[in-house]
Amino acid sequence: MDSNKRELLSNGTGPVSLDPDVNPDEEEEKQRLISQVLELQNTLDDLSCRVDSVKEENMKLKSENQVLGQYIENLMAASSVFQSTSPRSKKKSGAKKKGEK
């Protein structure tokens, strides 16, 4: 066996190294760190997929908002309620006509 390679065996109590120079506590810490790294990689992958789906949903909603905005503008343009009036046709509601008390 190559002295640079380490093989781990599980004896039910945790990893055991065949290399006599390796401290069992160090080997256990290494395995724990490897597990954490793998878990974090999986979490990162899940978050990346979630970001992609949220971006896609955001693009769809922006497109729908543009369509609805244009629809509202068209309705407002077609409605006489939202048409601007000239200043001459406006009457002041608080002003009294001649002869009124």
Side-chain angles (χ1 to χ4, degrees), residues 40-100:
L40 290 171
Q41 284 177 336
N42 289 335
T43 301
L44 180 60
D45 187 45
D46 291 344
L47 289 173
S48 179
C49 290
R50 176 70 177 136
V51 166
D52 290 342
S53 67
V54 168
K55 282 182 180 179
E56 186 176 320
E57 181 70 16
N58 186 34
M59 286 176 28
K60 287 179 185 178
L61 291 173
K62 279 184 178 181
S63 176
E64 287 177 18
N65 281 345
Q66 287 177 339
V67 169
L68 289 173
Q70 187 63 47
Y71 178 71
I72 290 170
E73 284 180 25
N74 291 342
L75 285 176
M76 290 173 63
S79 174
S80 62
V81 174
F82 295 105
Q83 298 297 319
S84 63
T85 57
S86 64
R88 292 181 190 169
S89 64
K90 287 185 179 178
K91 293 184 179 179
K92 294 182 181 177
S93 60
K96 294 182 181 179
K97 293 181 182 177
K98 287 185 179 179
E100 288 185 28

Side-chain angles (χ1 to χ4, degrees), residues 20-46:
D21 297 334
V22 177
N23 182 345
D25 291 337
E26 289 176 356
E27 197 64 44
E28 187 176 327
E29 178 69 9
K30 178 181 173 183
Q31 288 300 334
R32 187 184 67 77
L33 291 174
I34 288 172
S35 294
Q36 281 183 336
V37 166
L38 291 174
E39 184 178 339
L40 290 171
Q41 284 177 336
N42 289 335
T43 301
L44 180 60
D45 187 45
D46 291 344

